Amino acid sequence: GLADKILHETNLLDVDELAHRYEHSIEVQLPFLQFLYGNKFKIVPICFRLQDYASGVEVGMALTEALAATNTVVIASSDMTHYESAKIASAKDQAALKAVIEMESKHFYEVVEAQNITACGFMPITSLITYANGVGVKEAKLLSYHNSGDITGDHTSVVGYAAVVFKK
């Protein structure tokens, strides 16, 4: 039912079970959701093909309309900069994360594009920021930022990871 409501709000989304065949973000999220909620939750996964700002905003607005009267958690999943030194990756990622914390979707998109940040899921983040603004979120807070070098010890070529929470 919730998927139908979201689909009703935008023409950009289709039901396509194959869209997730090679997309791994859900398999990364599921263990966390299962830890928090057991098996008592349902998901409506959305996979982005279009990577333009207007599409990200439209999906975020569709979520705002479809989910306004629900008790729904919206999650956007992405790693950050890929395969650059920890110093360069951190600088790029911090610039993008600053825009996320400020809940400025256009600025976030512009930073990602201008700095060639290789975040896989920057469009879902754009939609999430749009949704957060649409439902009156008051604050976004960076919970953690690390990179793969923090685990492997190799800081010459890392992937950045961040966790941000949005609160009403």
Side-chain angles (χ1 to χ4, degrees):
L2 193 54
D4 289 339
K5 286 181 182 179
I6 296 167
L7 288 170
H8 178 75
E9 295 297 334
T10 178
N11 292 322
L12 292 179
L13 300 176
D14 291 316
V15 175
D16 182 358
E17 294 172 16
L18 294 178
H20 300 277
R21 175 171 274 173
Y22 300 108
E23 172 49 43
H24 64 275
S25 63
I26 291 173
E27 73 185 37
V28 172
Q29 294 171 15
L30 280 175
F32 294 103
L33 293 169
Q34 289 170 326
F35 177 79
L36 291 172
Y37 303 112
N39 290 324
K40 298 182 186 219
F41 66 92
K42 295 178 182 181
I43 63 171
V44 177
I46 299 173
C47 187
F48 280 79
R49 183 178 206 177
L50 298 172
Q51 297 296 308
D52 62 286
Y53 180 71
S55 296
V57 169
E58 183 173 328
V59 171
M61 291 177 11
L63 293 174
T64 300
E65 293 299 318
L67 306 179
T70 68
N71 183 21
T72 302
V73 174
V74 177
I75 300 170
S77 178
S78 178
D79 33 25
M80 300 297 285
T81 298
H82 290 68
Y83 312 126
E84 298 199 43
S85 72
K87 184 177 180 180
I88 291 171
S90 179
K92 286 182 171 186
D93 293 346
Q94 294 306 320
L97 289 167
K98 182 177 186 291
V100 172
I101 301 307
E102 293 170 350
M103 297 189 339
E104 295 288 339
S105 62
K106 182 69 168 174
H107 184 61
F108 170 73
Y109 181 85
E110 290 169 346
V111 167
V112 169
E113 288 288 310
Q115 295 195 27
N116 195 30
I117 297 173
T118 52
C120 298
F122 75 98
M123 197 50 53
I125 296 169
T126 301
S127 294
L128 175 57
I129 295 168
T130 302
Y131 166 78
N133 284 312
V135 296
V137 167
K138 304 268 189 263
E139 172 189 27
K141 181 180 177 186
L142 179 65
L143 300 176
S144 181
Y145 175 81
H146 292 282
N147 65 62
S148 56
D150 296 332
I151 302 299
T152 67
D154 178 4
H155 294 278
T156 61
S157 180
V158 303
V159 177
Y161 302 96
V164 176
V165 65
F166 292 78
K167 296 181 182 180
K168 281 192 169 182

